[in-house]
Amino acid sequence: MNIFTKIIAKQLLLPQDSVDNTLKLLDEGCTIPFISRYRKERTGGLNEVQIAQISDLNEKLKETAKRKETILKTISELGKLTPELKSRINECWNATELEDIYLPYRPKRRTRAQVAREQGLEPLATILLMQREQNPMKVAERFIKDDVKDVAMAIQGAKDIIAEQVSEDERSRNLVRQQFHRDALIISKVIKAKKDEDEAQKYSDYFDWEEPLNRCSSHRLLAMRRGENEGFLRVKIETDDEECISRLQRHYVHGFGKCQKLVGEAVEDGYKRLLEPSIETEVAAASKEKADEEAINVFTQNLRQLLMDAPLGQKRVMGIDPGFRTGCKVVCLDAQGNLLHHEAIFPHPPVNHRMQATMHVLQMIEDYQIEAIAIGNGTASRETKEFIKELIQENEGTEERENKKSHTFTNSTLRSPEVFVVSEDGASVYSASKTAREEFPDEDVTVRGAVSIGRRLMDPLAELVKIDPKSIGVGQYQHDVDQTKLKHSLDQIVESCVNQVGVNLNTASQHLLTYVSGLGPILAKNIVDYRRENGAFTSRAQLKKVPRLGPVAYQQCAGFLRIPGAKNPLDNSAVHPESYEVVERMAKDQGCHVADLISNSQLRQQVDIRRYVSDTVGIPTLTDIMKELEKPGRDPREQLEAFEFDPNIKEVDDLVEGMILPGIITNITNFGAFVDIGVHQDGLVHISQLTNRYVKDPNDVVHLHQHVRVKVLQVDRRRNRISLTMKGI
């Protein structure tokens, strides 16, 4: 069992065997979704989050190992690598401690201390540090020469060397580091010249702000750092300098005398000039990294909820990208999301072709047998929804009157489509993307955007995977955090959601297939090309005929791909092909076919899964198989529900404190939840206003796109902020 296994198991509080087997599976090229779903016996039932943590920590340890190689090589080339130092570096796996060990040997620019050493003043620095001489000035006279003109210059050079030694000493750094972690303050001040600028007002809370760093929430820290980056704030992390200097001097200065005084001055200089700025930078970076992690966690939780949003399913949909002056772009899609028709209507001011728009929409509903209408939630959304609802209601009333007069009136069976408002965040990004251009090379961006809105209603996951998650609008300071870490986390979430839901092999887009376990862009394209040339897949086994899709890729992807209507019903389930033989034995032992086992609950109840345990198949896998046979290929997402805003509230000026309104949660942060109440500006339910009990994480109380009722607490029209509460409603 290697050192990585022991470190990871200890840090994550997981069994060493589970960690070791997980690392082996990852090394074999297995994906996190595959390991979590199909290798529970080997991992001891670890979930995706735990496996992802093991994978991430393993990568960090690999990076540390590479860094150690560089450090050992550098020190060795300097001729200063002793056996003790080498052993200490080899045994160190803490990145901060490792850099502290390396600091005295690390190549650096030509410092004041380096100049003093070149002048031969290091022995004088050693003499001063020993603090035995009664007259250090007399000793310093021995070091006067061409490049050291006098005693003062010699003493200063020696003090520079001591200052650098103090700043690079591990104990000194840990002492100051502990002081910062314990007592540091984060202080934010407005840059006076920018104070009255409109853009600066969003940071007005931090114009004169101070709080303990260890109590500063991630959203406040990231807000201050953003204000600093935009040039409105000056942010600094400070601790008690006098206390730090005093503690350092107690460590380095022994007794009283002239040498002691010089050493004390050198220590103070080393702290102020070198050590304090270095540790402040380190602590600032660490606090930013921690805030990034929290913000990324918020983003990934929101993204998971958004991707797992309830789908309408395969129905004929009309998608509408609403607008006033430019009109509403309308598209009609078939049940597979293919574009059948598009046109623009102008029911709103300034054009006001309402009657013409009504006739055109009714005709499209009739011609394309529309079952549902998706309206984007941007500009003119509420007005467009009211227009559509009114024309449907008026048409229903007209039909009812016509039917009373004559029984010969032919009525479409799909005359009253349901109307839904869909988030259009990121639709414009998709419409201008390479993916959209490949899908609709002959259509403009407005048509592509409307198609995206319609498809989001049918299957949010399949459509949203085409868009950069940062453009979807559910993050917290997502543009301010470490972009590499953010992308890594978001990619993991997208992959997790895609594989949790499963993918229809015959209808999935190339982009969606990219996220299926074991595939990627090249194999996804090859699958789509094979499907285009050979027709729909009739079995999972056909995947083996796809160019470059070898045994490993097949093993990783097969269980997550579905084929509705396949000859083998297991091909439309989450049962992996490697377990087909087990299910077939179960059916044979019951004297029936696999299809009978799926359709007949009594037959399944007679199966004793313990009879099918083997060296490779255990109770966890068999339990999953039985759950899947109960509802093969089931969609884990919830059912879609329609939502209505208060019809009397349309603008911020309509809001009155104390008013209770319906709303829909659009974003969740670690300080609360944002709620759309239909006034073109989301309100905030602060974490303290979510419920009467203490809430640590808003996700414990609410979820994205949840329908809620809120009370208006305060409306700040100057800063365009709406404060809401969910308490006691």
Side-chain angles (χ1 to χ4, degrees):
M1 202 167 285
N2 65 39
I3 185 66
F4 285 13
T5 297
K6 294 177 181 177
I7 294 171
I8 294 170
K10 183 178 181 181
Q11 188 163 328
L12 299 181
L13 301 177
L14 295 173
Q16 287 192 7
D17 286 344
S18 296
V19 173
D20 196 49
N21 285 331
T22 300
L23 291 175
K24 289 175 181 175
L25 287 165
L26 289 168
D27 287 342
E28 291 168 11
C30 296
T31 68
I32 292 172
F34 177 82
I35 296 170
S36 173
R37 173 79 192 190
Y38 297 113
R39 291 296 181 264
K40 292 180 178 178
E41 285 81 0
R42 288 187 65 180
T43 68
L46 297 183
N47 59 38
E48 278 194 3
V49 174
Q50 292 169 317
I51 296 168
Q53 288 174 333
I54 291 171
S55 176
D56 291 345
L57 191 48
N58 185 48
E59 291 304 313
K60 284 184 180 179
L61 290 172
K62 286 181 180 178
E63 290 175 10
T64 303
K66 289 181 181 178
R67 179 63 175 159
K68 287 162 72 169
E69 289 177 8
T70 301
I71 289 171
L72 287 168
K73 182 181 178 183
T74 302
I75 299 175
S76 178
E77 289 173 351
L78 292 172
K80 297 182 178 181
L81 186 62
T82 64
E84 293 78 15
L85 182 58
K86 182 178 180 180
S87 175
R88 190 164 177 225
I89 292 170
N90 282 328
E91 292 173 5
C92 178
W93 292 99
N94 180 288
T96 301
E97 182 182 343
L98 187 63
E99 294 303 324
D100 279 354
I101 295 171
Y102 179 47
L103 185 58
Y105 309 97
R106 189 171 64 193
K108 55 177 76 73
R109 61 181 176 79
R110 198 159 178 263
T111 64
R112 282 162 49 172
Q114 183 61 34
V115 172
R117 289 190 184 95
E118 292 171 1
Q119 292 170 340
L121 295 173
E122 192 159 20
L124 178 58
T126 303
I127 292 170
L128 292 182
L129 271 175
M130 293 174 66
Q131 301 170 50
R132 294 175 181 171
E133 296 294 333
Q134 297 298 316
N135 191 346
M137 302 299 175
K138 189 172 182 61
V139 176
E141 291 176 359
R142 302 203 302 262
F143 293 88
I144 296 174
K145 49 186 176 178
D146 290 344
D147 52 355
V148 181
K149 301 187 183 303
D150 52 33
V151 168
M153 188 174 180
I155 291 293
Q156 184 58 53
K159 286 167 64 177
D160 288 342
I161 293 171
I162 294 171
E164 186 170 277
Q165 288 177 349
V166 169
S167 73
E168 294 181 346
D169 180 72
E170 284 183 66
R171 290 169 298 181
S172 300
R173 297 183 69 80
N174 281 329
L175 185 151
V176 176
R177 191 177 285 129
Q178 289 165 10
Q179 179 79 17
F180 265 84
H181 287 317
R182 185 172 58 249
D183 299 325
L185 298 173
I186 183 166
I187 300 167
S188 172
K189 302 286 184 184
V190 66
I191 295 175
K192 291 182 180 179
K194 302 285 189 74
K195 184 176 183 179
D196 296 323
E197 292 185 15
D198 290 340
E199 281 295 306
Q201 298 313 306
K202 58 187 173 183
Y203 302 110
S204 60
D205 289 345
Y206 306 106
F207 281 2
D208 187 15
W209 182 268
E210 178 181 307
E211 70 174 314
L213 180 63
N214 55 20
R215 294 183 188 174
C216 183
S217 64
S218 65
H219 67 271
R220 289 200 297 274
L221 189 141
L222 290 172
M224 284 184 263
R225 291 302 183 190
R226 177 185 286 183
E228 181 181 41
N229 291 335
E230 292 181 1
F232 299 116
L233 303 176
R234 184 172 288 107
V235 181
K236 185 171 177 58
I237 295 173
E238 293 182 354
T239 191
D240 187 337
D241 290 341
E242 295 303 318
E243 175 63 19
C244 283
I245 292 169
S246 177
R247 293 181 67 187
L248 285 169
Q249 287 177 337
R250 287 199 298 271
H251 180 73
Y252 285 99
V253 181
H254 312 295
F256 302 93
K258 293 180 180 179
C259 275
Q260 285 83 351
K261 183 175 182 296
L262 293 174
V263 171
E265 291 171 355
V267 169
E268 182 174 353
D269 174 55
Y271 171 79
K272 290 182 176 179
R273 183 167 54 87
L274 302 171
L275 188 49
E276 190 273 341
S278 173
I279 298 300
E280 183 194 351
T281 300
E282 178 188 300
V283 170
S287 63
K288 172 67 165 55
E289 184 177 5
K290 182 182 177 184
D292 282 2
E293 288 176 1
E294 291 183 22
I296 290 171
N297 183 52
V298 168
F299 199 161
T300 54
Q301 288 188 63
N302 284 347
L303 181 62
R304 180 181 290 279
Q305 292 179 37
L306 189 64
L307 294 176
M308 297 299 285
D309 219 357
L312 177 69
Q314 292 190 329
K315 293 188 178 182
R316 293 178 292 277
V317 169
M318 175 183 288
I320 304 178
D321 187 357
F324 288 115
R325 182 181 57 82
T326 57
C328 301
K329 181 62 71 174
V330 183
V331 298
C332 297
L333 310 175
D334 67 15
Q336 284 71 46
N338 298 310
L339 177 62
L340 304 175
H341 173 77
H342 68 82
E343 64 178 86
I345 59 173
F346 297 85
H348 309 308
V351 180
N352 268 329
H353 288 170
R354 194 175 183 88
M355 183 61 70
Q356 184 185 64
T358 299
M359 294 173 60
H360 280 230
V361 170
L362 289 173
Q363 191 64 52
M364 284 185 275
I365 291 173
E366 178 78 31
D367 290 348
Y368 300 103
Q369 297 186 312
I370 298 299
E371 299 172 88
I373 299 175
I375 301 171
N377 68 343
T379 304
S381 174
R382 288 195 67 175
E383 293 80 0
T384 303
K385 182 179 180 182
E386 289 170 6
F387 162 70
I388 294 293
K389 296 279 278 189
E390 284 176 14
L391 74 84
I392 289 174
Q393 289 168 3
E394 288 173 6
N395 186 63
E396 286 174 343
T398 302
E399 284 182 2
E400 195 174 320
R401 290 191 296 272
E402 292 291 338
N403 278 325
K404 286 179 180 178
K405 293 178 183 178
S406 170
H407 293 291
T408 60
F409 183 78
T410 57
N411 185 16
S412 169
T413 57
L414 296 166
R415 183 62 73 175
S416 301
E418 278 196 277
V419 181
F420 299 89
V421 174
V422 177
S423 170
E424 60 180 50
D425 283 333
S428 59
V429 174
Y430 160 76
S431 65
S433 69
K434 180 183 176 183
T435 302
R437 291 196 300 272
E438 289 173 349
E439 284 192 279
F440 303 103
D442 301 324
E443 308 297 347
D444 65 24
V445 292
T446 61
V447 174
R448 297 170 191 160
V451 170
S452 180
I453 289 169
R455 286 177 173 178
R456 287 189 196 193
L457 177 63
M458 300 168 71
D459 190 342
L461 175 61
E463 194 62 21
L464 289 171
V465 294
K466 302 174 185 176
I467 302 169
D468 181 350
K470 288 181 292 185
S471 302
I472 296 176
V474 293
Q476 175 191 344
Y477 299 101
Q478 61 263 37
H479 297 287
D480 300 292
V481 303
D482 185 303
Q483 296 301 294
T484 301
K485 290 181 179 178
L486 177 63
K487 185 180 186 307
H488 173 68
S489 295
L490 296 181
D491 285 347
Q492 281 189 340
I493 290 296
V494 174
E495 182 183 40
S496 170
C497 292
V498 168
N499 291 287
Q500 185 179 344
V501 171
V503 170
N504 186 325
L505 182 56
N506 286 323
T507 61
S509 67
Q510 179 180 326
H511 206 88
L512 184 59
L513 287 167
T514 298
Y515 289 99
V516 173
S517 167
L519 293 184
I522 294 175
L523 290 179
K525 182 179 185 302
N526 291 353
I527 287 173
V528 172
D529 290 343
Y530 182 91
R531 192 172 68 194
R532 188 183 300 115
E533 293 168 8
N534 299 279
F537 286 87
T538 57
S539 72
R540 281 172 168 167
Q542 271 185 277
L543 283 164
K544 297 176 181 177
K545 297 179 181 179
V546 174
R548 301 183 67 176
L549 203 155
V552 174
Y554 178 76
Q555 179 198 53
Q556 297 298 305
C557 75
F560 302 105
L561 295 168
R562 311 277 187 269
I563 306 177
K567 182 177 179 182
N568 186 340
L570 295 179
D571 281 347
N572 192 36
S573 74
V575 177
H576 197 281
E578 65 189 12
S579 296
Y580 282 10
E581 184 269 337
V582 176
V583 181
E584 288 162 0
R585 276 197 290 127
M586 290 178 180
K588 183 178 179 182
D589 291 346
Q590 297 302 316
C592 66
H593 298 292
V594 170
D596 301 323
L597 203 58
I598 291 172
S599 62
N600 192 322
S601 61
Q602 291 183 341
L603 286 173
R604 291 196 303 274
Q605 289 171 8
Q606 294 171 17
V607 175
D608 181 2
I609 61 174
R610 292 173 296 183
R611 292 179 54 193
Y612 303 95
V613 174
S614 67
D615 293 339
T616 55
V617 180
I619 293 296
T621 295
L622 292 166
T623 301
D624 284 347
I625 288 172
M626 296 308 295
K627 286 180 181 177
E628 191 60 25
L629 293 178
E630 183 181 345
K631 292 181 180 179
R634 67 191 182 282
D635 194 321
R637 295 173 288 184
E638 296 178 353
Q639 294 295 310
L640 188 64
E641 295 179 5
F643 174 81
E644 297 285 344
F645 289 117
D646 187 315
N648 301 312
I649 307 299
K650 298 180 180 180
E651 304 292 340
V652 173
D653 289 339
D654 297 332
L655 297 176
V656 177
E657 292 180 11
M659 188 178 276
I660 296 177
L661 302 168
I664 185 166
I665 293 176
T666 58
N667 198 4
I668 300 173
T669 70
N670 57 12
F671 56 87
F674 287 94
V675 180
D676 184 357
I677 52 177
V679 295
H680 312 294
Q681 173 63 46
D682 290 354
L684 172 65
V685 181
H686 188 267
I687 189 170
S688 63
Q689 296 295 326
L690 287 170
T691 182
N692 288 320
R693 61 181 173 81
Y694 170 74
V695 178
K696 183 178 181 181
D697 181 356
N699 285 284
D700 295 336
V701 180
V702 293
H703 59 82
L704 210 59
H705 290 178
Q706 179 181 343
H707 300 171
V708 295
R709 291 182 66 77
V710 295
K711 180 191 289 186
V712 179
L713 285 180
Q714 185 181 23
V715 181
D716 184 343
R717 288 176 173 79
R718 181 170 182 267
R719 294 198 290 176
N720 212 23
R721 291 185 180 180
I722 304 167
S723 298
L724 307 170
T725 182
M726 288 170 53
K727 284 185 175 180
I729 300 175

